[in-house]
C-alpha cells in the first residue's frame, strides 16, 4: 500500500538533496523564498484535495483519481527540472512538481485511515514514515552512486546543473509514476458502503461548498489537533533550516567556503549525499522499530524524546570539522525524522472523525506548510543581520527551535482542560 509513497517521497528527497538554486547562481539568503513552492502549494492544494477526495465517488474510488493526477504532474516536473537554465525556469518547474506532489500526498495520508482499523493505524503511519526514509535515502545517495559506481562526471560549468543531478531527476520521474501505479493495482480501495454512498451523494458539490467545508472543519477542529500547532511550527521551521543550509554548512565546516560555483562546494554536495542517505536509512529502520515503542510508552512521549535528541544534534553539527562525528549526528537526525513523519499522524488519526479524514489530514498539512512559509518570509531577512550570513549558524538556530518543539509536545501531552482525556488517549 505504501510503496507509492516511496516514489512520492523520492521526489521530495531530490529537492532536498540537490541544491539546484545554488548551481544556478542563487545567493544563500534567497534560498528560503526560492523554495516557497512546496509550502505554498501544500497550504492551498491539500485541504482542497482533502475535501474533494472525501466527497468523490468514482469507479476507481475516492482517493485513486488524485493519486494518478498527482503522479503524472510530479513525473513531468521531475523530467523537466534538469533542463532548467535559469532561476526563473527552475522556480516555475518547482511549482508544477510540488502541486503534483501535494495532490497525491493528502489522499495517501487519508488512505491509511481508510484501509486500516484503529489499532493498526500506528504501524500504518510509521510504516509510511519508513518508506519516506527509504525513498529519501535513495534520493540522497543517487548523485554519489552515479558518480562513484557509474562514472558520471562531477565536473560542471558555473551556472549549469551537474550531470549526476540531471540523471537523478530522470530516475525520480520514472519511480514516481511506476510505484504509484503499482500501489493502485495491488491494493485497490475498499468499496464504499451503501450508507456512505448515500451520505456522500447528499453532500453539496462545487467550489463554494468545498471552501465552506474547510472553514467549518477548522472551526470544529478537535482540541487534540489544535494543541499540535506549536509543535508543528517549531519542528518544521527547524527542518527547513536543515534542508536549506545542510550542504552550505558542511561545505563551510570542511572546506571553508559555501560558494555554489566552487569545486569544494560540489565535493561537499557529493559528501552530503551519502550522509543524507544514512540519516534517511536510520529513519527507515527507526520508523518500523518505533511502532511497538510508541504503542508501549505513547507516541507523544517518544516523539518529544526524538525531537530533543535531534535538536542537540543540529546544534552540535556546525562545530564539527571532520567527517566521523558528522555521520554520528546524521544518525540522530534520522531518528528524529522517522518520528516526525510518523508519530504526529498517530496522534492525529485517533482524534478526528472518520468521515472528515481527508479534510483534517489536509488541514494538518497546513500546520506543516505554514511554518515553511514563515521560514521563507523571515530567514531571508535574519540570515545576514542575525545569523551573520553563516549557514552553520542557521543550522544551530534550527536546533534550538527543535528543542522548543520537544517542549511543545511535552506541554501538549500534559495539557489540562475539558479535552485533556482526548489528548492523552490520542497520544
Amino acid at each position: 500500500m505504501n510503496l507509492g509513497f516511496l516514489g512520492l517521497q523520492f521526489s521530495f528527497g531530490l529537492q532536498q538533496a540537490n541544491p539546484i538554486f545554488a548551481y544556478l547562481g542563487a545567493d544563500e539568503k534567497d534560498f528560503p523564498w526560492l523554495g516557497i513552492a512546496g509550502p505554498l502549494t501544500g497550504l492551498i492544494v491539500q485541504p482542497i484535495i482533502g475535501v474533494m477526495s472525501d466527497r468523490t465517488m468514482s469507479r476507481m474510488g475516492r482517493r485513486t483519481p488524485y493519486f494518478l493526477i498527482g503522479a503524472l504532474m510530479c513525473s513531468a516536473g521531475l523530467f523537466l527540472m534538469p533542463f532548467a537554465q535559469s532561476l526563473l525556469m527552475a522556480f516555475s518547474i518547482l511549482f508544477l512538481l510540488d502541486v503534483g506532489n501535494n495532490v497525491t500526498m493528502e489522499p495517501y495520508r487519508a488512505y491509511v485511515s481508510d484501509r486500516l482499523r484503529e489499532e493498526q493505524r500506528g504501524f500504518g503511519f510509521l510504516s509510511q514514515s519508513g518508506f519516506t526514509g527509504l525513498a529519501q535515502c535513495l534520493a540522497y545517495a543517487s548523485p554519489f552512486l552515479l558518480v562513484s559506481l557509474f562514472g558520471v562526471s562531477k565536473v560542471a560549468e558555473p551556472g549549469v546543473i551537474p550531470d549526476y543531478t540531471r540523471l537523478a531527476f530522470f530516475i525520480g520521474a520514472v519511480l514516481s509514476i511506476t510505484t504509484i501505479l503499482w500501489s493502485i493495482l495491488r491494493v485497490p480501495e475498499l468499496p464504499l458502503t451503501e450508507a456512505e454512498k448515500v451520505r456522500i451523494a447528499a453532500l453539496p458539490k462545487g467550489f463554494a461548498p468545498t471552501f465552506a467545508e474547510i472553514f467549518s472543519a477548522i472551526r470544529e477542529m478537535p482540541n487534540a489537533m489544535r494543541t499540535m500547532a506549536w509543535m508543528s511550527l517549531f519542528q518544521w521551521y527547524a527542518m527547513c533550516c536543515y534542508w536549506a543550509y545542510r550542504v552550505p554548512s558542511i561545505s563551510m565546516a570542511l572546506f571553508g567556503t559555501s560558494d555554489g560555483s566552487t569545486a569544494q562546494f560540489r565535493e561537499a554536495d557529493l559528501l552530503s549525499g551519502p550522509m543524507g542517505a544514512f540519516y534517511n536509512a536510520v529513519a527507515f529502520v527507526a520508523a518500523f522499530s518505533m511502532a511497538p515503542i510508541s504503542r508501549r510508552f505513547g507516541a507523544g512521549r517518544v516523539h518529544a524524546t526524538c525531537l530533543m535528541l535531534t535538536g542537540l544534534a543540529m546544534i552540535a553539527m556546525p562545530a564539527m570539522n571532520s567527517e566521523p562525528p558528522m555521520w554520528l549526528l546524521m544518525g540522530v537526525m534520522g531518528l528524529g525524522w522517522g518520528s516526525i513523519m510518523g508519530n504526529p499522524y498517530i496522534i492525529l488519526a485517533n482524534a478526528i472523525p472518520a468521515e472528515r479524514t481527508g479534510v483534517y489530514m489536509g488541514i494538518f498539512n497546513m500546520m506543516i506548510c505554514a511554518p515553511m512559509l514563515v521560514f521563507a518570509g523571515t530567514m531571508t531577512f535574519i540570515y545576514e543581520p542575525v545569523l551573520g550570513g553563516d549557514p552553520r549558524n542557521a543550522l544551530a538556530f534550527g536546533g534550538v527551535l527543535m528543542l522548543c518543539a520537544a517542549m511543545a509536545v511535552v506541554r501538549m501531552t500534559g495539557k489540562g482542560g475539558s479535552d485533556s482525556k482526548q489528548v492523552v488517549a490520542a497520544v
Side-chain angles (χ1 to χ4, degrees):
M1 182 169 65
N2 278 325
L3 185 64
F5 213 70
L6 182 145
L8 178 65
Q9 290 295 334
F10 190 90
S11 169
F12 280 115
L14 287 176
Q15 294 178 51
Q16 297 161 15
N18 296 277
I20 295 290
F21 295 121
Y23 289 137
L24 296 175
D27 292 331
E28 287 174 15
K29 65 180 179 62
D30 294 328
F31 288 173
W33 73 262
L34 285 170
I36 202 173
L40 185 60
T41 56
L43 190 71
I44 296 170
V45 170
Q46 286 211 29
I48 294 173
I49 295 298
V51 175
M52 292 174 65
S53 68
D54 279 345
R55 301 181 175 202
T56 294
M57 287 193 298
S58 74
R59 288 165 55 186
M60 292 185 290
R62 285 193 295 175
R63 317 296 181 187
T64 300
Y66 304 98
F67 294 164
L68 291 172
I69 293 169
L72 290 171
M73 294 177 69
C74 180
S75 292
L78 288 168
F79 180 79
L80 293 172
M81 182 61 79
F83 296 103
Q85 298 179 358
S86 67
L87 288 174
L88 179 59
M89 186 175 179
F91 185 71
S92 302
I93 294 171
L94 192 59
F95 267 90
L96 171 66
L97 172 57
D98 282 330
V99 167
N101 281 334
N102 282 295
V103 168
T104 302
M105 173 78 76
E106 190 286 326
Y108 248 115
R109 295 293 191 193
Y111 189 42
V112 173
S113 286
D114 291 346
R115 290 281 320 200
L116 302 181
R117 297 188 302 272
E118 184 174 328
E119 65 271 17
Q120 296 176 315
R121 288 175 188 162
F123 184 76
F125 283 115
L126 284 170
S127 67
Q128 199 169 75
S129 174
F131 275 97
T132 297
L134 177 60
Q136 296 197 1
C137 172
L138 296 172
Y140 275 79
S142 56
F144 173 80
L145 294 175
L146 288 168
V147 170
S148 60
L149 297 183
F150 298 98
V152 178
S153 174
K154 62 182 179 181
V155 177
E157 296 294 325
V160 176
I161 298 172
D163 288 343
Y164 58 80
T165 297
R166 293 172 183 266
L167 287 173
F169 272 80
F170 292 148
I171 293 169
V174 175
L175 270 180
S176 179
I177 190 67
T178 54
T179 57
I180 289 173
L181 282 174
W182 176 264
S183 281
I184 291 169
L185 294 172
R186 297 293 294 174
V187 190
E189 292 187 61
L190 296 174
L192 295 171
T193 65
E194 289 303 317
E196 287 173 324
K197 290 178 181 179
V198 171
R199 181 185 62 80
I200 293 172
L203 294 172
K205 305 297 190 293
F207 284 108
T210 295
F211 285 104
E213 168 65 3
I214 293 172
F215 289 117
S216 172
I218 292 173
R219 286 195 305 270
E220 299 167 15
M221 188 186 303
N223 283 350
M225 185 175 175
R226 292 182 188 276
T227 58
M228 301 173 75
W230 284 108
M231 172 202 74
S232 290
L233 173 62
F234 292 130
Q235 75 182 16
W236 288 104
Y237 196 112
M239 288 307 300
C240 286
C241 290
Y242 171 76
W243 291 326
Y245 294 106
R246 172 183 54 88
V247 176
S249 183
I250 292 173
S251 186
M252 281 292 294
L254 297 182
F255 304 113
T257 180
S258 57
D259 184 350
S261 65
T262 62
Q264 291 93 332
F265 185 89
R266 288 194 294 275
E267 286 295 329
D269 182 26
L270 288 172
L271 175 62
S272 73
M275 285 184 176
F278 175 65
Y279 114 88
N280 279 292
V282 171
F284 173 68
V285 175
F288 287 103
S289 303
M290 239 179 266
I293 299 172
S294 293
R295 192 162 51 244
R296 172 69 177 83
F297 296 102
R301 206 176 281 178
V302 173
H303 190 48
T305 302
C306 291
L307 292 180
M308 180 188 68
L309 293 173
T310 303
L312 294 174
M314 290 179 71
I315 292 170
M317 199 178 300
M320 303 296 107
N321 56 10
S322 62
E323 287 185 40
M326 283 190 180
W327 283 91
L328 177 62
L329 295 175
M330 283 289 182
V332 178
M333 286 290 301
L335 183 68
W337 182 232
S339 182
I340 286 171
M341 292 300 289
N343 281 313
Y345 291 94
I346 300 173
I347 301 171
L348 176 65
N350 295 328
I352 57 178
E355 66 274 10
R356 277 181 155 177
T357 296
V359 65
Y360 275 126
M361 287 291 177
I363 291 171
F364 185 67
N365 189 70
M366 294 171 71
M367 296 183 188
I368 297 172
C369 296
M372 294 180 179
L373 292 175
V374 173
F375 172 79
T378 58
M379 183 55 75
T380 299
F381 300 102
I382 69 172
Y383 183 67
E384 290 180 350
V386 178
L387 301 174
D390 191 326
R392 294 170 294 184
N393 293 338
L395 202 61
F397 177 59
V400 173
L401 293 179
M402 196 67 82
L403 294 178
C404 293
M407 291 303 300
V409 176
V410 171
R411 291 193 64 186
M412 178 185 77
T413 56
K415 187 177 178 66
S418 61
D419 215 32
S420 61
K421 290 184 179 180
Q422 183 185 18
V423 176
V424 174
V427 172

